[in-house]
Amino acid sequence: MESKPLCKTTEIEEGKSREFEVGNKKILVSNVGGKFYAIDALCSHMGGDLGKGKSEGHDVICPKHHARFNVQTGKVDKNINGFFKAMTRKEATDLKSYEVKENDGELSVEL
Ligand code: FES
């Protein structure tokens, strides 16, 4: 595992998320109640960009078919609805989550 620098803690407001490209990965870093969490930023359903999704509590909502992921764990909180499931013959699956470290007001992620 390697620690990769991200940004200052003040650069992600509480209740918001921000996308980062780290190496060849896109990750989404979220501030929930002053704590920081990171998950893969590409939706496991059909690659929707969660960086463009809406943050709601500890969830981020995929802009494509509205699967909800818990940013603290990467787990699917609510899957796509039956219509999208029938259309795409696929559902969202849990995303990988990563540990975010805070040091002197700077955030880094363990990849
Ligand atoms: S691509 Fe994210 S819900 Fe379909």
Side-chain angles (χ1 to χ4, degrees), residues 43-48 50 62 64-67 69 80 92:
C43 178
S44 52
H45 177 231
M46 294 184 80
L50 298 178
C62 177
K64 271 197 170 171
H65 313 105
H66 321 303
F69 297 91
I80 58 174

Side-chain angles (χ1 to χ4, degrees), residues 39-60:
I39 61 173
D40 278 331
L42 294 182
C43 178
S44 52
H45 177 231
M46 294 184 80
D49 185 358
L50 298 178
K52 298 201 168 84
K54 196 170 159 226
S55 294
E56 228 177 71
H58 56 57
D59 278 347
V60 62

Side-chain angles (χ1 to χ4, degrees), residues 80-92:
I80 58 174
N81 67 28
F83 172 74
F84 286 136
K85 188 177 165 188
M87 233 174 58
T88 60
R89 300 199 190 138
K90 210 176 159 204
E91 280 189 297

Side-chain angles (χ1 to χ4, degrees), residues 3 8 13 28 33-34 41 45 49 52 54 62-63 76 80 97 104:
S3 182
K8 294 188 194 311
E13 281 172 54
L28 186 81
H45 177 231
D49 185 358
K52 298 201 168 84
K54 196 170 159 226
C62 177
V76 176
I80 58 174
S97 70
D104 254 353

